[in-house]
C-alpha cells in the first residue's frame, strides 16, 4: 500500500515496518520538516530526497538513507529526477530496465524545437485560460497540468474532474 500525505502530522498508521519516503526539494518545507519530526519517531526505515536545507541536515545527523538532488532549479523542473529515484527505490519487478533514458532525451529534444507540435500548441494556448477536464481515473493528471501551467508558464488555468463537472460545475458556467 502506498499512501501520499501532505500534512504537518502523519494521519496514516506508521510502524517500524513502514518505509517513509520524505521529499522536499529545498529541504526547508515547513510541512515536510514537521511531518518528518513526528514520523521519524515511529519508524527508522526512512529514505529522504532533497537538494539540501534542514531536511538534509536531519537525515545526515540521524544517519538516514537519502539522495541529494541537484540544486538551483525551479522545483517543478526536478520532477524527472525525483521520479527516477522513486522508480529505482521501488523497482521490485525490474521495471527500471525498461526505462529508456536516451528515448526520453530524444523526445525532450524533439518537442523543444520551435517547429514541433508541442511548441505550436503552447503558443496557441499561451494567451488563453485553459480549462482542463479529466475523467475520474485520470483525476491526478489535471491538477498536475494545471500546476505546470500556473507555475512554469505563469498562466492561470482551471481544472475539474468528471463527474464533478456534471454535478456542480455546469451550473456555475
Amino acid at each position: 500500500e502506498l499512501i501520499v500525505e501532505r500534512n504537518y502530522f502523519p494521519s496514516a498508521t506508521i510502524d517500524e515496518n513502514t518505509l517513509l519516503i520524505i521529499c522536499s526539494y529545498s529541504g526547508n518545507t515547513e510541512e515536510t520538516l514537521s511531518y518528518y519530526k513526528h514520523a521519524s519517531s515511529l519508524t527508522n526505515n526512512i529514505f529522504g530526497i532533497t537538494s539540501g536545507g534542514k531536511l538534509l541536515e536531519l537525515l545526515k545527523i540521524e544517519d538516514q538513507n537519502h539522495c541529494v538532488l541537484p540544486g538551483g532549479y525551479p522545483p517543478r523542473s526536478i520532477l524527472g529526477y525525483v521520479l527516477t529515484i522513486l522508480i529505482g527505490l521501488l523497482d521490485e519487478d525490474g521495471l527500471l530496465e525498461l526505462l529508456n533514458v536516451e528515448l526520453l532525451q530524444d523526445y525532450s529534444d524533439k518537442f523543444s524545437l520551435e517547429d514541433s507540435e508541442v511548441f505550436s500548441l503552447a503558443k496557441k494556448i499561451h494567451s488563453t485560460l485553459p480549462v482542463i477536464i479529466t475523467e475520474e481515473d485520470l483525476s491526478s493528471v489535471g491538477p498536475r497540468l494545471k500546476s505546470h501551467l500556473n507555475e512554469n508558464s505563469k498562466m492561470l488555468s482551471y481544472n475539474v474532474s468528471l463527474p464533478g463537472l456534471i454535478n456542480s460545475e455546469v451550473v456555475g458556467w
Side-chain angles (χ1 to χ4, degrees), residues 24-79:
S24 164
Y25 180 60
S26 70
N28 293 316
T29 307
E30 185 179 315
E31 301 87 19
T32 306
L33 292 171
S34 173
Y35 191 96
Y36 177 79
K37 177 184 173 188
H38 294 282
S40 64
S41 66
L42 303 171
T43 184
N44 197 35
N45 193 14
I46 298 170
F47 187 86
I49 305 172
T50 184
S51 68
K54 183 69 175 164
L55 180 59
L56 183 58
E57 289 175 25
L58 291 170
L59 292 165
K60 286 181 176 181
I61 290 169
E62 297 174 12
D63 197 28
Q64 298 293 350
N65 291 322
H66 60 276
C67 183
V68 179
L69 298 167
Y73 294 96
R76 299 293 183 237
S77 69
I78 212 75
L79 180 64

Side-chain angles (χ1 to χ4, degrees), residues 157-173:
S157 58
Y158 180 76
N159 169 244
V160 66
S161 294
L162 297 171
L165 172 70
I166 296 168
N167 294 334
S168 60
E169 303 294 327
V170 170
V171 175
W173 284 101

Side-chain angles (χ1 to χ4, degrees), residues 127-138:
S127 61
T128 67
L129 172 68
V131 176
I132 303 156
I133 302 170
T134 55
E135 64 167 307
E136 194 169 1
D137 290 345
L138 296 172

Side-chain angles (χ1 to χ4, degrees), residues 98-171:
L98 301 175
L99 185 62
N100 185 335
V101 176
E102 290 176 12
L103 181 62
L104 293 175
Q105 184 63 55
D106 288 346
Y107 279 139
S108 174
D109 293 344
K110 176 183 168 188
F111 294 138
S112 296
L113 298 174
E114 287 191 27
D115 63 346
S116 76
E117 184 178 350
V118 173
F119 192 89
S120 175
L121 180 60
K123 285 184 76 163
K124 283 181 186 176
I125 70 168
H126 180 69
S127 61
T128 67
L129 172 68
V131 176
I132 303 156
I133 302 170
T134 55
E135 64 167 307
E136 194 169 1
D137 290 345
L138 296 172
S139 62
S140 63
V141 174
R144 188 81 217 126
L145 177 56
K146 175 186 172 188
S147 179
H148 275 292
L149 290 171
N150 290 346
E151 294 183 32
N152 298 333
S153 302
K154 310 302 184 239
M155 292 176 62
L156 182 62
S157 58
Y158 180 76
N159 169 244
V160 66
S161 294
L162 297 171
L165 172 70
I166 296 168
N167 294 334
S168 60
E169 303 294 327
V170 170
V171 175

